[in-house]
Each structure stands twice: as C-alpha cells, then as structure tokens.
Amino acid sequence: MSVAKKQYKRITTKSLVEMKANGEKISMLTAYDYTMAKIVDGAGIDVILVGDSASNVMAGHETTLPITLNEMIYHASSVVRAVERSLVVVDLPFGSYQSDPKEALRSAIRIMKESGGHSIKVEGGKEIKESIKRILNAGIPVMGHLGLTPQSIYKFGTYTVRAKEEQEADQLLEDALMLERLGCFAIVLEKVPAALAEKVAKSISIPVIGIGAGGGVDGQVLVTHDMLGMTHEFHPRFLRRYLDLYEEMTTAFKSYISDVKSKDFPNEKEQY
Ligand code: KIV
C-alpha cells in the first residue's frame, strides 16, 4: 500500500525526522550561489547544502581545506536569498571548529547571524563532541558527517571507501549513536559500505543521508555540479549524471564565439 506524502511548505529539521519516520526518502543537493539555489529550491529539493566542496568546485582548490569562514558566509548568504522552501545547511569549514568548543560556537554563530542559514554541518565523531554540544546548547541545529570526511583527507591519504574494517565500522556506529544522543538532527554518511550504512540508519531515529553509501539509508546527497556533468573529469562509482552540461556548455560557447566572429551576432532584432 502506498503512503500519501505529506506536503511541506517549508522544510525544517523536524520535517526531516518526520520523513524518516514515514519512510519518505530525503533529497539533498549542494548550491553555492543565488542562481543555482533558486533552480534547485524551485525544483523541490528538501535540503540545500552549502558545502565546503565550494573550495573545489567554485575556487578550484585540490581539497576542501583552504576555504575560509568568510567565504562560506558569502556563499551561504547568496543561497539563503534564493531559497523559499528548502532547509539550508552550511558547512563549518576546516579550522573553524576543531581547536576548541568556544571557537566552534563563535564560528557557528557567525554562519547563522551573517548568512541566515538554518543549520550547520561538522565533520567527525567523538573527537569534536564538546564542540557539537556547545553549538547545540546555543540552539543551533547540527548535522553530523561521518565516514569519508574530506577535511581529514591528509590523515586518510586517499578518497577510497572508509570503514571496511571492523574496528573503524564499530567506531563509526558508536559515533552515529553519540551524534543522535547529543541532539544532531541528521547525519551525512560518505563513501562507506552499503551494508554498514544501512545498519547505521536502522540503529538511529535521525535521518542518515548518504553519498556513496548505498540505498539503505534515509536520503541521498550529491554535489550539484557533479550530477549535472559539469565536472567531467570526476567519475566515482556512486555518481549518477543527469546531464552532460560540460559538453552542452562547450557547444553553446563555441556557437557564440563563432557567431561573434562571423558577425552573425547581434542581428537586426538583437539591437536597439
Ligand atoms: O561539501 C560537500 O559538498 C559535502 C557533501 C559531499 C556531503 O559535504
């Protein structure tokens, strides 16, 4: 029997927990600017993540580490101005929350006050427990992020699947249970075996949103530029491409160049 989906005028952290309880999968995509956020929100996405992947996608850095808190606030405020329905989650960037809980809270407050975002996301488990508690105590909703946490790429050494070994898998489950206990409203699980991800999702009542974590979790997230096929040199197994925008944009740009060179553009109707 199919269950009628509840219509949400605005998505809140509570809506997401409700969706999990009702068996409705959660959709999440990234956006870093006004125009993209407007399209993604208008299409009906549940959650927009202003990810620190902006460091790679927008700024061309090799990792997510260089992006600053000011830059994240700039991206997030552009997104917030476009959004009418989605819940906006903003990544706390590397270096803005790991050193001590007071600094973590200051960074989270800056995101909330200066960008208007609705919640923040942090990477890690027990090692950042005190920071998460501080942020939650201030009334700021927190999304966790476990598994392949790109801010720790120099510790891992590679972007391959995490938690394949029992010890790391056990620790990941423990961290997920802890994040739920602390009061986080959801967890992103990145690049872990599907069976483990499903076990985690079944062990907690808050939603688990996967990227490269299989279909047994409560929702999916992708980087928008990847799923649109704009970043054509990146092709992990988990990525489904819905367009080949790299090719389509290149064709459009070539046509424009050719039209300008040949004096076809502008024509009589395209001038005053
Ligand atoms: O920064 C980001 O885009 C992310 C997603 C990959 C989950 O954290």
Side-chain angles (χ1 to χ4, degrees), residues 30 32 49 51-53 91 121 123 145 188 190 211 221 223:
T30 57
Y32 321 112
L49 172 65
D52 59 358
S53 50
D91 265 335
K121 175 163 84 57
E123 295 184 4
H145 185 155
V188 163
E190 180 164 351
I211 175 164
V221 54
V223 169

Side-chain angles (χ1 to χ4, degrees), residues 132-202:
I132 294 174
K133 270 165 76 175
R134 263 285 160 134
I135 297 169
L136 286 165
N137 279 342
I140 300 171
V142 176
M143 178 181 268
H145 185 155
L146 300 171
L148 176 67
T149 45
Q151 291 178 10
S152 303
I153 187 58
Y154 290 114
K155 181 175 87 181
F156 298 144
T158 89
Y159 285 100
T160 52
V161 180
R162 300 304 313 172
K164 289 210 286 205
E165 307 302 330
E166 199 179 325
Q167 200 187 345
E168 195 178 333
D170 289 348
Q171 183 59 53
L172 190 148
L173 178 58
E174 232 178 78
D175 282 340
L177 290 165
M178 182 204 75
L179 293 176
E180 178 186 40
R181 250 189 340 267
L182 291 180
C184 290
F185 69 91
I187 299 173
V188 163
L189 213 44
E190 180 164 351
K191 245 182 156 181
V192 299
L196 171 65
E198 185 170 356
K199 182 174 169 190
V200 172
K202 283 187 171 150

Side-chain angles (χ1 to χ4, degrees), residues 9-266:
K9 252 178 108 177
R10 268 215 96 107
I11 303 293
T12 64
T13 56
K14 275 210 175 87
S15 325
L16 301 184
V17 177
E18 205 173 280
M19 283 180 192
K20 170 164 181 154
N22 293 337
E24 178 180 346
K25 298 278 185 183
I26 296 162
S27 61
M28 172 160 146
L29 282 172
T30 57
Y32 321 112
D33 67 276
Y34 177 86
T35 304
M36 187 70 89
K38 191 115 191 129
I39 302 171
V40 173
D41 180 66
I45 205 80
D46 296 316
V47 186
I48 292 185
L49 172 65
V50 185
D52 59 358
S53 50
S55 178
N56 314 101
V57 178
M58 303 304 282
H61 293 297
E62 215 175 287
T63 71
T64 58
L65 276 68
I67 199 160
T68 65
L69 188 56
N70 282 342
E71 286 165 342
M72 286 305 296
I73 290 168
Y74 166 77
H75 287 297
S77 57
S78 308
V79 166
V80 167
R81 281 192 285 275
V83 166
E84 289 178 13
R85 179 182 174 274
S86 318
L87 179 82
V88 178
V89 182
V90 186
D91 265 335
L92 280 193
F94 176 70
S96 72
Y97 63 98
Q98 290 91 344
S99 59
D100 77 82
K102 277 190 189 160
E103 196 196 2
L105 177 57
R106 268 196 300 275
S107 303
I109 288 176
R110 280 202 62 204
I111 295 266
M112 300 298 282
K113 253 182 141 58
E114 296 176 39
S115 79
H118 309 142
S119 57
I120 60 101
K121 175 163 84 57
V122 284
E123 295 184 4
K126 66 177 188 324
E127 65 283 4
I128 55 161
K129 179 178 173 188
E130 294 309 317
S131 295
I132 294 174
K133 270 165 76 175
R134 263 285 160 134
I135 297 169
L136 286 165
N137 279 342
I140 300 171
V142 176
M143 178 181 268
H145 185 155
L146 300 171
L148 176 67
T149 45
Q151 291 178 10
S152 303
I153 187 58
Y154 290 114
K155 181 175 87 181
F156 298 144
T158 89
Y159 285 100
T160 52
V161 180
R162 300 304 313 172
K164 289 210 286 205
E165 307 302 330
E166 199 179 325
Q167 200 187 345
E168 195 178 333
D170 289 348
Q171 183 59 53
L172 190 148
L173 178 58
E174 232 178 78
D175 282 340
L177 290 165
M178 182 204 75
L179 293 176
E180 178 186 40
R181 250 189 340 267
L182 291 180
C184 290
F185 69 91
I187 299 173
V188 163
L189 213 44
E190 180 164 351
K191 245 182 156 181
V192 299
L196 171 65
E198 185 170 356
K199 182 174 169 190
V200 172
K202 283 187 171 150
S203 306
I204 59 179
S205 59
I206 57 171
V208 173
I209 301 175
I211 175 164
V217 289
D218 309 303
Q220 298 294 327
V221 54
L222 285 175
V223 169
T224 298
H225 290 67
D226 294 338
M227 61 85 81
L228 292 178
M230 293 170 89
T231 49
H232 78 147
E233 64 287 347
F234 180 65
H235 30 74
R237 190 205 293 199
F238 67 77
L239 175 61
R240 184 179 293 183
R241 285 217 169 87
Y242 289 82
L243 282 176
D244 187 353
L245 267 195
Y246 187 93
E247 280 308 316
E248 288 197 40
M249 289 171 80
T250 302
T251 304
F253 296 145
K254 283 186 172 165
S255 298
Y256 170 73
I257 294 164
S258 156
D259 288 353
V260 170
K261 299 276 181 198
S262 68
K263 301 179 188 158
D264 177 79
F265 176 78

